[in-house]
Amino acid sequence: MSTQASVSQHGQGSSERDLFVAAMGHVAAPVAVITTDGPAGRFGITVSSVTSASADPPMMMACINRRSPAFAAIIENGCFVINMLSHDHVGVAENFAGRAGAFPAFDFGCAAWKPGQAGGWLLDGALASFDCTLEQSVDVGTHGVIIGGVRHTCLRPTMTLLHFRRAFHRPEPVLHNS
């Protein structure tokens, strides 16, 4: 869709920020809960901006709003775990996005966890968990990009949880005729 089509679809009064947010809402993203524990406390937060940064050495990065207490705790604790959620972790994603359900918001009682080696919490049943030591943090607009050296990786081959158009989804294979 061209910028012109986006402007007409969203109205003449839409700002570039509004168009950006709308466009990013149409991009499917994996969902993760990032956890940390240490002197600054135990925190978890749902994020959808996570990716690998390097294979040699293994490194991951994620974006977190700097206003979040979880961001400050990650910086002070110097460690975090990126738990990539499986399709059956919608309740966990909602909980660490601050929406109370069966448990109060941000309550670790919403799932089973085990301590990581670097100092975060690994989610039982996560698609993958990356136990990281904080290597660097970079301020970018309202967010901080955390970059971590992966100390330990866990993998459970299952279907991932995606965030797309402000809702959770699971991927489906695209079939094409040969």
Side-chain angles (χ1 to χ4, degrees):
M1 181 184 300
S2 71
T3 303
Q4 184 66 24
S6 295
V7 171
S8 63
Q9 179 181 358
H10 293 283
Q12 296 299 328
S14 293
S15 70
E16 187 62 33
R17 181 195 182 282
D18 293 340
L19 293 173
F20 173 79
V21 170
M24 288 307 299
H26 285 75
V27 176
V31 181
V33 168
I34 298 179
T35 64
T36 189
D37 201 353
R42 182 181 188 190
F43 289 87
I45 187 167
T46 300
V47 300
S48 60
S49 184
V50 175
T51 191
S52 62
S54 169
D56 296 311
M59 299 185 87
M60 294 289 292
M61 63 185 197
C63 297
I64 302 175
N65 192 306
R66 290 194 321 268
R67 291 181 300 173
S68 169
F71 177 76
I74 289 168
I75 300 304
E76 186 175 334
N77 291 339
C79 62
F80 58 95
V81 174
I82 297 175
N83 294 285
M84 303 304 297
L85 301 186
S86 67
H87 67 280
D88 54 351
H89 285 131
V90 172
V92 176
E94 293 281 1
N95 179 279
F96 286 97
R99 293 185 277 280
F103 294 88
F106 304 104
D107 186 343
F108 278 82
C110 70
W113 305 86
K114 60 184 175 187
Q117 295 176 2
W121 290 87
L122 291 90
L123 173 63
D124 273 356
L127 166 72
S129 295
F130 303 94
D131 195 355
C132 301
T133 301
L134 181 66
E135 298 291 330
Q136 185 176 7
S137 172
V138 179
D139 291 348
V140 180
T142 57
H143 286 60
V145 178
I146 56 171
I147 302 168
V150 178
R151 302 298 172 238
H152 181 70
T153 302
C154 299
L155 173 64
R156 180 181 153 249
T158 185
M159 194 66 70
T160 191
L161 181 63
L162 296 173
H163 193 255
F164 175 67
R165 294 187 178 176
R166 299 194 172 278
F168 294 113
H169 297 271
R170 79 172 98 190
E172 293 184 22
V174 177
L175 303 176
H176 56 151
N177 299 327
S178 302

